[in-house]
Amino acid sequence: MSDSTETTTASERAIKQQKPSSLTRSLKTPADEALRLYEHYWPPVEHFEGFDPELTDFMAATPEKQQAILEGLRHDPEAHGRFLHGHLGSIYAHSFGYRDGAFTRHTDDTAEIAQFAAKIALERELFDHWAALGDLPTFTDQTEAADHLDELAATNPGVVHPLFDFIRDEASREQIERFLLCETIRNEVVDDEVALLVVGLQGMMKAVAAANLWDECGRGKLENFHTYWLRRLLEATEDGWNTLDRYRVGHPWFGKLTSNTNAALLTRPARKMMAYGCFLVFESWVEPHFVRILDGMTRVGLLDDEKHIYFTAHVAIDPRHSRELSDGMRMQRPRLAPDEINDIVYGAHLASETGRRQFDRMLGFLRAMPTENAA
């Protein structure tokens, strides 16, 4: 008897694979608790109320004046970083379309042109001066580069950074609760970051990025959206939603480093391959970081599974994501050109260095917190 696949047409095989809905079991009214939590706007940000006066002045300045302002900040790393990352964070709300963005419910051509010009100037400063990297390895073969990225993902300084050992072994309950607010902000829009990553990719790299997005979106089930697990964390925290509102006002600029770097790559098409490498490293951090966070939460008595679910789920899921991203690069067709390969490698090293700098600063920030119950 001949194999039935020999008489099956390409159209029939395509229909068999695509006809069943991916949402058949998910496209239904969720449980009451899920509906209640979905009444909250996400990300949990307030409506735009105006730019910081400093950013307003910068946007109104001529290109020459903008350049002079940035040059004048370079001698002071603290002021330089605060200016760049504070203002880029405000601008990226617009790029993602959230309600705390300036022009996300109406258009203003003149003002948006000024904002975009400021974005370009700030990002140029970011890449040419604040985040400048040294010499990096170069590759012409995508498989060799993917092997390098696997090694980098396992050994870069962000993987076993002392911040996460501090969370596991020493941090007080107050310090860990503060850190969880930082983590909520750092992770609250990952689904949209992955959505932007998908755009413009091709072949297997697009497939693995899209699969990652499907996971972020709960594979169609609202209760399993990864952002829904953050909603559950906030709901289980005393006055969690309002606490996050209050904390966000003073969220330190260095808590935005990885998010801003990722957004800078995602929102300029020429940096798309860099974003792919950046995201690969970010995904590789999740398991070692979240295992330590969970251990620290348990040590200080934060035992509620509602607070744990975001972290426990990602410990199981994200190692697969990182492997799929590197495998997608290995199997990519059309094959990657050398400049594309080296953009991916650059993005991965940029993520590693940016993460190290953010984690260094966050560790100092938490250690400096007044606390009565430090271990």
Side-chain angles (χ1 to χ4, degrees):
M1 181 180 294
S2 63
D3 188 338
S4 62
T5 59
E6 295 178 2
T7 60
T8 304
T9 67
S11 293
E12 289 169 333
R13 291 193 296 272
I15 292 167
K16 182 179 179 181
Q17 194 262 344
Q18 292 281 310
K19 187 176 180 180
S21 171
S22 298
L23 293 172
T24 299
R25 296 181 180 179
S26 304
L27 200 59
K28 59 183 181 181
T29 303
D32 289 345
E33 177 64 8
L35 285 176
R36 186 177 66 81
L37 290 184
Y38 270 102
E39 290 299 318
H40 292 275
Y41 181 89
W42 196 270
V45 292
E46 298 299 324
H47 289 279
F48 178 75
E49 294 183 353
F51 286 118
D52 179 284
E54 186 179 63
L55 178 55
T56 299
D57 291 343
F58 185 81
M59 289 191 295
T62 64
E64 294 76 17
K65 177 62 174 177
Q66 290 179 347
Q67 185 63 26
I69 291 169
L70 295 172
E71 289 176 358
L73 290 168
R74 291 175 196 160
H75 71 283
D76 184 342
E78 178 74 16
H80 193 219
R82 185 184 303 277
F83 189 94
L84 286 178
H85 287 282
H87 297 329
L88 280 172
S90 297
I91 289 172
Y92 289 138
H94 169 84
S95 298
F96 282 85
Y98 307 137
R99 68 183 185 187
D100 60 337
F103 312 107
T104 57
R105 295 301 303 160
H106 72 284
T107 58
D108 184 328
D109 293 355
T110 300
E112 289 184 62
I113 289 169
Q115 180 183 247
F116 188 70
K119 175 181 183 290
I120 292 174
L122 292 169
E123 288 177 345
R124 178 57 55 202
E125 185 74 10
L126 179 76
F127 288 109
D128 287 356
H129 297 281
W130 188 87
L133 299 178
D135 293 335
L136 298 177
T138 58
F139 299 89
T140 58
D141 180 84
Q142 64 197 48
T143 299
E144 292 179 2
D147 292 342
H148 169 75
L149 294 182
D150 280 340
E151 181 180 0
L152 179 69
T155 61
N156 72 82
V159 176
V160 290
H161 192 278
L163 168 64
F164 299 94
D165 289 342
F166 170 75
I167 295 295
R168 180 188 62 195
D169 300 330
E170 300 178 47
S172 68
R173 182 176 178 125
E174 293 91 337
Q175 289 166 326
I176 290 179
E177 288 175 336
R178 177 67 60 85
F179 180 72
L180 292 179
L181 296 174
C182 299
E183 282 294 285
T184 299
I185 291 174
R186 192 160 71 97
N187 291 290
E188 64 189 356
V189 298
V190 172
D191 51 356
D192 285 340
E193 291 173 337
V194 180
L196 288 178
L197 180 63
V198 172
V199 178
L201 294 178
Q202 296 189 27
M204 191 56 68
M205 291 169 63
K206 194 181 195 90
V208 297
N212 192 305
L213 178 60
W214 184 232
D215 284 349
E216 288 286 341
C217 295
R219 300 188 176 184
K221 187 172 183 179
L222 288 178
E223 294 91 333
N224 283 337
F225 269 55
H226 295 190
T227 52
Y228 180 72
W229 299 336
L230 288 174
R231 293 172 190 258
R232 291 173 65 171
L233 169 64
L234 287 177
E235 189 71 9
T237 302
E238 184 177 357
D239 202 26
W241 298 90
N242 291 327
T243 298
L244 184 63
D245 280 344
R246 292 191 294 271
Y247 168 75
R248 194 184 294 275
V249 174
H251 182 51
W253 65 266
F254 48 81
K256 304 173 184 177
L257 303 189
T258 53
S259 297
N260 282 351
T261 299
N262 197 25
L265 300 177
L266 289 169
T267 57
R268 295 293 293 277
R271 300 187 180 121
K272 177 54 60 75
M273 292 298 175
M274 300 176 191
Y276 191 93
C278 180
F279 189 61
L280 187 153
V281 168
F282 286 173
E283 289 289 90
S284 74
W285 286 337
V286 172
E287 180 186 25
H289 290 181
F290 284 13
V291 166
R292 287 167 171 78
I293 292 170
L294 286 165
D295 286 346
M297 293 172 71
T298 299
R299 177 177 54 80
V300 300
L302 294 170
L303 305 176
D304 190 340
D305 188 58
E306 293 293 294
K307 297 179 181 178
H308 282 213
I309 184 172
Y310 181 82
F311 303 101
T312 54
H314 279 80
V315 167
I317 295 168
D318 277 37
R320 166 172 58 80
H321 283 165
S322 182
R323 290 192 300 270
E324 288 175 349
L325 286 161
S326 61
D327 285 342
M329 182 179 179
R330 287 185 181 89
M331 294 185 285
Q332 174 62 23
R333 296 294 187 278
R335 297 192 68 85
L336 296 166
D339 62 329
E340 294 175 313
I341 294 170
N342 291 305
D343 275 355
I344 295 172
V345 172
Y346 170 85
H349 282 270
L350 180 64
S352 172
E353 174 60 16
T354 303
R356 182 195 63 76
R357 294 172 73 170
Q358 176 164 321
F359 303 151
D360 283 350
R361 294 296 301 261
M362 189 58 65
L363 178 58
F365 174 73
L366 293 175
R367 285 191 182 279
M369 275 183 59
T371 177
E372 298 177 358
N373 301 309

